[in-house]
């Protein structure tokens, strides 16, 4: 066993090591061990899985004076996010936004003529595959050199009991165990084993080795399906989204949803809702699919590229079998608000404990588990949160949609841009950073913003934003709304004009009136 605890690798050195290890199967290699041999304390907790949940939990526990150990099968910390989830998703969504601009202004100003042009998906995937070891290396460097974390990386661990893990021929003990093993893509109803050309978010970035042809079929109507679909579409391919239900149901405001669907359709996306992929044809490599459409008929579509965006299933099987932790019907490990499972001293965090499967929940879950392990009584309620996704745009939402608000309040007031007006959507607002070309030349593409207000208390109960810069605002807006933010308080804030979000000035324009009116 080689212990690198006394070595202080730079990020370049880490990158070199990770590249070599990723080139080979990680399981079965001698693990990368970083353990401080001079520290004789028992570990307070082993974090099984060093993704967002495990890494942030361990860092918090360490910051509180405890001694955590992280074990991960990959040769880097950070987990799925930098390897095949959030980071590539943001690369692809950036590409989609950029290409939408290129296509909208094709042949005008300084933009090249994009007519009939297909952009290489393979090149973009390969760029990501080469580039991702940068974030990987940074995670290892930060964890070891700045956060003083101990870890064993690059080999799969086996759970022995609630205090013991086996990895690379060694046994590790701790007072507590934090399960943070994440989730994996849900399997498809059709067996696609051995069929080349069928991908999910993980296999796309790990295994794509050819240039997909002109037609892409995406299965699913949730975030991953739509986000990746918009990317494929922006590269100039016919993109068909096949979903059993209506797409985008997670966005709880009909007007926002309609704006998005119209804009995606305008970019050429095809939505085949209430439909199902019933067969994948091909001899070793997919060449066509059969789709049962809303009318009940079967349509055949020629394609060499199918993308499955079916959601994820928690990686809970081993913990269930060896420890007997309770899981729900989706396989999510059941935890209380202290993040403790049904087994004393065994905690679980992140995607493993089910929806919402988002970074904030994984990281904060880790932090709450650490606090409880270190003797605090800390309760985490993660159900209310601001949400976001990408189409070709950035989209954010929080709180109640207009319809939900009308069910709950008698006097709902809406402030929005663009306003309803006889010219339809020809108003060049909202205007803001990275939307200005649309504002000047294609006003109906400049985005959509909406505040939903309880007119009696003047409190903001919902907010929706399609465009650029939405996310930056929403992570701060959300706690203020939770604390009862009113139109008057928002109107009192100082806007950095021009800004992508018009919420402050819209509120100020109405705040003077005793009886609130919409606009
Ligand atoms: P993971 O990061 O998956 O970590 C689990 C770790 O456990 C892995 O490193 C794995 O190697 C390790 N492991 C598992 N079993 C073992 C074992 N037996 N031995 C050793 N190690 C083991 N969220 C956002 O907030 N923003 C986004 O933009 C976003 N984009 C996403 C895009 C996609 C395509 C997907 C699929 C998800 C996205 N998410 C996003 C969700 C986010 O990626 C997850 O919520 C987050 O990564 C979960 O962290 P985790 O620590 O629970 O799991
Ligand atoms: C981010 C990974 S890509 S982590 O949450 O910082 O560990």
């Amino acid at each position: 066993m080689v212990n690198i605890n006394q070595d202080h690798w730079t990020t370049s050195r880490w990158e070199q090591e990770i590249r070599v290890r990723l080139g080979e199967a990680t399981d079965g290699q001698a693990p990368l061990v970083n353990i401080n041999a001079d520290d004789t304390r028992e570990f307070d907790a082993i974090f099984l899985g060093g993704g967002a949940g495990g890494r942030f939990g361990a860092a918090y526990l360490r910051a509180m004076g405890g001694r955590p150990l992280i074990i991960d099968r990959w040769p880097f910390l950070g987990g799925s996010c930098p390897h095949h989830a959030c980071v590539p998703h943001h690369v692809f969504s950036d590409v989609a936004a950029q290409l939408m601009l290129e296509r909208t202004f094709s042949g005008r100003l300084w933009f090249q003529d994009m007519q009939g042009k297909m952009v290489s998906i393979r090149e973009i995937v390969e760029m990501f595959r080469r580039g991702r070891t940068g974030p990987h290396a940074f995670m290892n460097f930060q964890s070891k050199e700045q956060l003083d974390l101990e870890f064993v990386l690059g080999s799969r661990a086996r759970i022995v009991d609630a205090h013991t893990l086996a990895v690379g021929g060694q046994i590790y003990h701790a007072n507590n165990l934090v399960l943070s093993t994440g989730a994996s893509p849900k399997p498809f109803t059709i067996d696609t084993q051995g069929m080349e050309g069928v991908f999910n978010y993980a296999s796309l970035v790990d295994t794509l080795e050819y240039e997909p042809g002109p037609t892409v079929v995406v299965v699913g109507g949730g975030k991953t399906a739509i986000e990746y679909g918009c990317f494929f579409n922006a590269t100039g391919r016919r993109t068909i989204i096949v979903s059993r239900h209506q797409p985008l149901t997670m966005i709880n405001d009909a007007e926002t949803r309609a704006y998005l669907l119209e804009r995606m359709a305008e970019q050429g996306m095809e939505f085949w809702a209430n439909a199902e992929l019933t067969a994948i044809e091909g001899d070793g490599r997919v060449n066509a699919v059969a789709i049962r459409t809303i009318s009940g008929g079967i349509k055949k579509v020629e394609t060499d590229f199918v993308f499955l965006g079916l959601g994820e299933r928690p990686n809970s099987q081993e913990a269930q079998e060896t420890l007997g932790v309770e899981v729900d019907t989706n396989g999510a490990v059941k935890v209380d608000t202290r993040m403790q499972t049904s087994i004393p001293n065994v905690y679980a965090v992140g995607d493993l404990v089910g929806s919402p499967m988002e970074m904030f929940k994984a990281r904060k879950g880790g932090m709450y588990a650490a606090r409880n392990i270190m003797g605090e009584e800390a309760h985490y309620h993660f159900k209310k949160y601001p949400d976001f996704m990408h189409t070709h745009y950035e989209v954010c939402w929080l709180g109640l949609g207009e319809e939900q608000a009308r069910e709950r309040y008698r006097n709902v007031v809406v402030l929005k841009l663009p306003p309803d007006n006889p010219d339809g959507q020809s108003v060049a607002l909202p205007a803001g950073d990275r939307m200005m070309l649309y504002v000047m030349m294609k006003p109906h593409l400049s985005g959509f913003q909406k505040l939903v207000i309880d007119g009696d208390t003047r409190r903001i109960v919902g907010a929706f934003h399609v465009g650029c810069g939405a996310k930056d605002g929403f992570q701060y807006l959300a706690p203020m709304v939770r604390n009862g933010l009113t139109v008057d308080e928002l109107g009192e804030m100082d806007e950095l004009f021009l800004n992508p979000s018009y919420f402050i000035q819209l509120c100020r324009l109405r705040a003077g009136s005793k009886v609130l009116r919409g606009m």
Side-chain angles (χ1 to χ4, degrees):
M1 181 185 77
V2 183
N3 189 347
I4 59 160
N5 185 257
Q6 296 306 311
D7 299 330
H8 299 286
W9 292 356
T10 61
T11 47
S12 316
R13 175 68 186 85
W14 270 119
E15 214 172 333
Q16 203 183 329
E17 182 74 24
I18 291 164
R19 274 185 204 282
V20 170
R21 285 175 175 261
L22 282 180
E24 304 160 21
T26 52
D27 287 354
Q29 288 179 10
L32 264 167
V33 178
N34 165 38
I35 291 185
N36 181 358
D38 297 333
D39 193 338
T40 52
R41 287 178 297 167
E42 180 83 276
F43 289 110
D44 291 292
I46 294 179
F47 289 80
L48 176 57
R55 200 174 87 90
F56 270 68
Y60 208 88
L61 195 140
R62 187 65 161 178
M64 291 179 82
R67 188 179 187 204
L69 175 69
I70 304 177
I71 300 182
D72 201 291
R73 69 189 152 105
W74 279 330
F76 54 86
L77 292 162
S80 306
C81 171
H83 200 55
H84 53 213
C86 329
V87 177
H89 144 218
H90 278 77
V91 170
F92 300 148
S93 297
D94 257 20
V95 169
Q98 194 81 25
L99 281 172
M100 173 176 159
L101 195 70
E102 296 272 348
R103 290 191 189 285
T104 304
F105 297 100
S106 165
R108 300 164 79 181
L109 299 170
W110 59 88
F111 291 90
Q112 61 172 308
D113 186 354
M114 294 294 286
Q115 194 69 33
K117 262 196 193 155
M118 236 167 40
V119 169
S120 168
I121 291 178
R122 183 182 176 175
E123 262 180 29
I124 298 164
V125 166
E126 284 174 350
M127 169 191 71
F128 167 73
R129 213 180 281 154
R130 279 191 304 276
R132 68 181 168 182
T133 48
H136 290 154
F138 168 73
M139 297 294 154
N140 286 9
F141 174 83
Q142 185 193 57
S143 303
K144 182 173 182 302
E145 305 301 332
Q146 298 180 312
L147 300 174
D148 201 17
L149 294 179
E150 292 171 89
F151 48 75
V152 177
L153 299 182
S155 197
R156 198 175 190 288
R158 191 170 49 78
I159 302 171
V160 178
D161 62 37
H163 296 276
T164 320
L165 292 187
V167 59
Q170 299 284 321
I171 293 286
Y172 296 93
H173 292 281
N175 295 326
N176 299 278
L177 177 59
V178 184
L179 304 168
S180 39
T181 48
S184 304
K186 272 189 189 155
F188 193 31
T189 42
I190 299 173
D191 183 12
T192 56
Q193 278 283 333
M195 178 71 92
E196 217 187 310
V198 183
F199 297 91
N200 56 43
Y201 65 85
S203 60
L204 174 72
V205 294
D206 284 332
T207 67
L208 180 77
E209 297 292 355
Y210 69 95
E211 189 56 58
T215 303
V216 171
V217 174
V218 175
V219 185
K223 280 190 188 180
T224 304
I226 303 291
E227 286 170 334
Y228 282 60
C230 286
F231 162 58
F232 303 137
N233 158 262
T235 65
R237 288 167 175 80
R238 179 184 184 200
T239 302
I240 302 171
I241 306 278
V242 182
S243 59
R244 281 194 176 146
H245 310 287
Q246 288 300 317
L248 296 183
T249 46
M250 60 281 190
I251 299 174
N252 58 334
D253 182 79
E255 209 176 2
T256 309
R257 228 171 23 241
Y259 180 84
L260 280 169
L261 285 166
E262 275 171 35
R263 297 292 77 76
M264 283 192 278
E266 194 174 338
Q267 295 303 308
M269 296 268 285
E270 292 178 41
F271 291 97
W272 295 18
N274 303 104
E276 193 172 0
L277 195 96
T278 53
I280 298 181
E281 297 171 12
D283 187 12
R285 158 88 68 96
V286 54
N287 58 32
V289 295
I291 300 166
R292 189 186 45 70
T293 65
I294 190 169
S295 65
I298 299 285
K299 277 203 173 156
K300 190 168 163 175
V301 175
E302 285 185 10
T303 179
D304 66 355
F305 188 91
V306 176
F307 182 82
L308 305 175
L310 305 168
E312 291 181 84
R313 195 176 58 177
N315 297 327
S316 58
Q317 199 178 341
E318 191 186 344
Q320 211 183 330
E321 286 168 5
T322 53
L323 300 174
V325 292
E326 275 180 33
V327 299
D328 70 13
T329 48
N330 297 314
V333 173
K334 287 188 186 175
V335 286
D336 61 18
T337 53
R338 298 171 64 249
M339 307 312 292
Q340 192 179 295
T341 67
S342 55
I343 309 287
N345 300 104
V346 178
Y347 295 77
V349 302
D351 287 359
L352 182 65
V353 304
S355 147
M357 292 190 186
E358 302 284 348
M359 291 293 279
F360 76 88
K361 191 197 78 183
R363 289 167 164 175
K364 285 178 70 180
M367 170 181 132
Y368 275 79
R371 288 171 64 184
N372 283 292
I373 288 167
M374 293 302 286
E376 256 188 52
E377 175 85 19
H379 297 273
Y380 183 28
H381 304 273
F382 50 74
K383 289 290 180 195
K384 279 196 173 170
Y385 58 98
D387 211 347
F388 85 99
M389 68 173 292
H390 293 94
T391 57
H392 304 79
Y393 293 111
E394 198 174 304
V395 187
C396 278
W397 62 100
L398 67 82
L400 301 177
E402 186 177 341
E403 301 77 15
Q404 294 170 315
R406 290 198 190 285
E407 280 171 19
R408 194 170 308 179
Y409 303 104
R410 63 171 191 96
N411 175 22
V412 171
V413 175
V414 166
L415 301 179
K416 70 179 176 189
L417 283 175
D420 292 326
N421 85 105
D423 289 341
Q425 291 173 330
S426 64
V427 177
L429 277 171
D433 308 323
R434 298 187 305 284
M435 304 303 289
M436 297 308 283
L437 291 182
Y438 294 125
V439 168
M440 295 299 145
M441 289 163 73
K442 292 268 185 184
H444 73 288
L445 296 180
S446 63
F448 179 82
Q449 288 171 20
K450 177 171 180 174
L451 276 183
V452 183
I453 299 157
D454 168 21
D456 290 345
T457 60
R458 302 169 79 90
R459 283 189 171 163
I460 289 150
V461 296
F464 299 83
H465 185 165
V466 179
C468 279
K471 268 187 333 207
D472 301 347
F474 268 57
Q475 55 196 344
Y476 302 107
L477 191 58
M480 294 194 291
V481 167
R482 219 176 291 134
N483 290 335
L485 181 74
T486 63
V487 164
D488 310 278
E489 287 161 346
L490 194 49
E492 186 58 36
M493 285 176 63
D494 302 316
E495 69 273 45
L496 303 178
F497 189 79
L498 267 160
N499 182 283
S501 163
Y502 277 68
F503 293 152
I504 295 174
Q505 60 222 67
L506 282 177
C507 284
R508 190 179 299 133
L509 288 168
R510 281 300 195 219
S513 48
K514 282 211 165 57
V515 178
L516 274 186
R517 277 189 301 134
M519 60 176 182

